[in-house]
Amino acid sequence: CFVFFFFKQKTAYEMQRGLVGSEMCIRDRYQRRVHGSLTIINGANIVARSAIKKLAPLFKSIKVCDYKPYRPSVYKLFQELEGKGAKLDKVMTTNTASLEYAMEGAEKALYFTHDYFYLAPEKITMIQATASIAKKMGVKQLICICPIEYTHYSELKLTPFETRIDSETKAMQLYPEMTLLRPNIIFGEESYNIRYLIQSLLAGRVIYPRLKDCGLQKYYPIHMNDVVQCIVHALSNDHIKGLEYAIRGENSITYDGILNVLAKHTENIHWEKCKRSITAGWLEKFFVGETHDKNLMQMIEWHERERQNFKNDWCYTDKFKIKQGPGFEAYYAASKANPANYAEPYLYKYKCIAIDQILTINSHIYICLLYTSDAAD
């Protein structure tokens, strides 16, 4: 009498695409293991919240640290993840002492650049403070995720590129094993830059007409899910300490190309005729400061002048054979934008905000109920 046992082997579609051999083993071993504690600096921003959804089942506890952690988006995230893994805590980080408390007992730490365009002083100093305190508190692994779209514009004499490099170099000196991941422009439902452009196109305003001439700098947009996939993988990878990688898409596109793709997605093919609702220049800055779209334009203009070659950097997905999802053009060509999913940019401080935070008055003026710098609340 013979007894046969049949075991179903997982297909390629059931396994994370693109991971083979030793890389697959790293992924499987990491995802089965429940780690200790994870601290996430600037954890209330868009990329961080997307990563937390994937990381919650892998850790016993996660501290979400931010200057403004008590946002509706963070509360919503905590409710969504309740009982699904890690114990989640919010920590307000406003000084060295609060940052030390956030790092206390952490096995690993992630740092995310603030998700607003303005290169405020804390963008320069925060990464250095994080590196210094992580080293002091004995954090075993520190990974800094710094998307290119968040690190521009500076009133300093240095250019945005030099400012960023100087800040990151100093952080590396403070924590030599630190890893830098630098995503290109991020797209998808939970993106920031691209989502703002879609909002503006749907509203028929706010876009700078001269963006149609931005056809020199080549970008490599990457989907948010692919960025998060790299972050999760990096937390299991001991071979990347002290190194930096780009996270970029496989296909290049210029900024006017990005807008043309989004114009078809929003059915606003005459986007170059969109007008800004206020006067540009010194008068605007005097009354309302640096506005969201003004800073966006400064970033694009700077890249158009400098024309960085993003292909020169090591790409994380190439190095570790991580399969990417659909590219930028294919992703937005597959559907049309639903205006119900996007809030109209309001007044002068345009932000990516959810419909439930918008109040429609009889005069049809949209007023934000919560005036924060949050990119996707």
Side-chain angles (χ1 to χ4, degrees):
C1 178
F2 298 94
V3 179
F4 296 93
F5 295 92
F6 295 92
F7 298 94
K8 181 181 180 294
Q9 185 177 5
K10 286 187 177 181
T11 67
Y13 294 100
E14 294 175 291
M15 295 184 285
Q16 187 171 348
R17 294 172 299 171
L19 295 180
V20 295
S22 61
E23 297 305 325
M24 187 183 298
C25 294
I26 291 175
R27 191 284 317 271
D28 291 340
R29 183 171 66 252
Y30 183 76
Q31 293 196 356
R32 285 196 302 266
R33 178 186 172 192
V34 177
H35 291 257
S37 59
L38 174 69
T39 291
I40 302 180
I41 305 300
N42 296 332
N45 81 41
I46 258 184
V47 186
R49 296 199 308 265
S50 298
I52 290 170
K53 294 176 184 178
K54 298 292 185 182
L55 294 171
L58 307 179
F59 286 86
K60 294 179 181 178
S61 65
I62 296 178
K63 290 180 182 177
V64 178
C65 313
D66 200 276
Y67 177 67
K68 292 181 178 179
Y70 302 103
R71 308 179 188 180
S73 58
V74 178
Y75 281 103
K76 181 180 178 181
L77 175 66
F78 277 37
Q79 291 174 353
E80 180 183 340
L81 297 178
E82 186 175 0
K84 295 183 179 179
K87 177 180 179 294
L88 301 175
D89 289 314
K90 293 183 286 290
V91 179
M92 182 181 292
T93 48
T94 57
N95 52 40
T96 301
S98 59
L99 199 55
E100 287 182 351
Y101 169 73
M103 293 283 188
E104 187 176 0
E107 178 183 345
K108 298 172 182 283
L110 298 176
Y111 167 91
F112 292 86
T113 308
H114 269 300
D115 52 2
Y116 48 81
F117 292 151
Y118 191 76
L119 185 56
E122 64 265 25
K123 276 193 172 183
I124 302 171
T125 58
M126 191 65 169
I127 188 172
Q128 297 174 40
T130 299
S132 176
I133 293 174
K135 192 68 175 178
K136 175 183 176 181
M137 304 302 289
V139 175
K140 296 178 181 178
Q141 185 180 29
L142 172 62
I143 300 174
C144 296
I145 299 93
C146 306
I148 65 166
E149 60 198 84
Y150 301 158
T151 54
H152 82 283
Y153 183 67
S154 173
E155 293 181 349
L156 303 175
K157 292 182 180 179
L158 296 174
T159 67
F161 179 77
E162 290 170 333
T163 303
R164 187 199 75 198
I165 294 298
D166 180 66
S167 179
E168 293 173 354
T169 300
K170 290 177 179 176
M172 279 282 199
Q173 292 170 350
L174 293 166
Y175 193 116
E177 300 85 9
M178 184 179 85
T179 301
L180 270 170
L181 299 180
R182 193 172 292 115
N184 213 272
I185 290 179
I186 301 172
F187 69 92
E189 287 299 311
E190 295 182 305
S191 67
Y192 180 65
N193 184 318
I194 299 300
R195 185 175 178 85
Y196 166 71
L197 292 179
I198 294 175
Q199 283 184 173
S200 302
L201 287 166
L202 288 172
R205 58 186 174 87
V206 186
I207 300 293
Y208 276 77
R210 65 180 182 274
L211 278 175
K212 66 179 182 295
D213 299 321
C214 294
L216 299 176
Q217 174 69 64
K218 291 183 178 181
Y219 299 92
Y220 295 82
I222 183 81
H223 195 280
M224 178 70 80
N225 290 343
D226 296 325
V227 174
V228 172
Q229 184 180 194
C230 290
I231 294 170
V232 174
H233 182 273
L235 282 166
S236 69
N237 195 341
D238 292 329
H239 304 294
I240 60 173
K241 292 182 179 180
L243 301 176
E244 56 182 278
Y245 294 90
I247 304 178
R248 60 173 178 263
E250 296 172 352
N251 302 315
S252 66
I253 189 170
T254 59
Y255 214 84
D256 59 349
I258 288 174
L259 284 166
N260 285 327
V261 170
L262 297 181
K264 295 177 183 178
H265 179 65
T266 59
E267 299 182 321
N268 181 1
I269 58 175
H270 302 296
W271 63 266
E272 68 276 4
K273 297 180 180 179
C274 293
K275 302 297 182 182
R276 300 188 65 236
S277 57
I278 55 179
T279 304
W282 67 269
L283 185 64
E284 168 191 343
K285 186 172 181 178
F286 176 80
F287 283 107
V288 299
E290 293 288 350
T291 57
H292 189 78
D293 59 327
K294 178 76 171 180
N295 288 329
L296 167 63
M297 190 62 222
Q298 287 173 326
M299 180 192 80
I300 301 306
E301 287 180 330
W302 184 82
H303 279 298
E304 285 295 301
R305 291 194 306 270
E306 299 297 324
R307 276 176 262 175
Q308 286 183 274
N309 185 356
F310 295 116
K311 289 286 283 185
N312 282 342
D313 301 322
W314 289 349
C315 181
Y316 197 91
T317 57
D318 292 345
K319 175 67 175 178
F320 298 103
K321 300 181 177 60
I322 297 176
K323 180 72 174 179
Q324 297 182 16
F328 179 81
E329 295 188 56
Y331 180 83
Y332 286 106
S335 63
K336 297 298 180 183
N338 181 1
N341 295 332
Y342 298 89
E344 181 178 345
Y346 65 97
L347 301 182
Y348 307 122
K349 298 287 188 176
Y350 307 110
K351 301 295 174 186
C352 299
I353 43 184
I355 292 300
D356 61 356
Q357 287 181 252
I358 299 298
L359 176 65
T360 307
I361 311 292
N362 291 333
S363 60
H364 300 288
I365 297 176
Y366 289 85
I367 300 178
C368 182
L369 297 180
L370 184 67
Y371 195 77
T372 74
S373 62
D374 196 8
D377 281 343

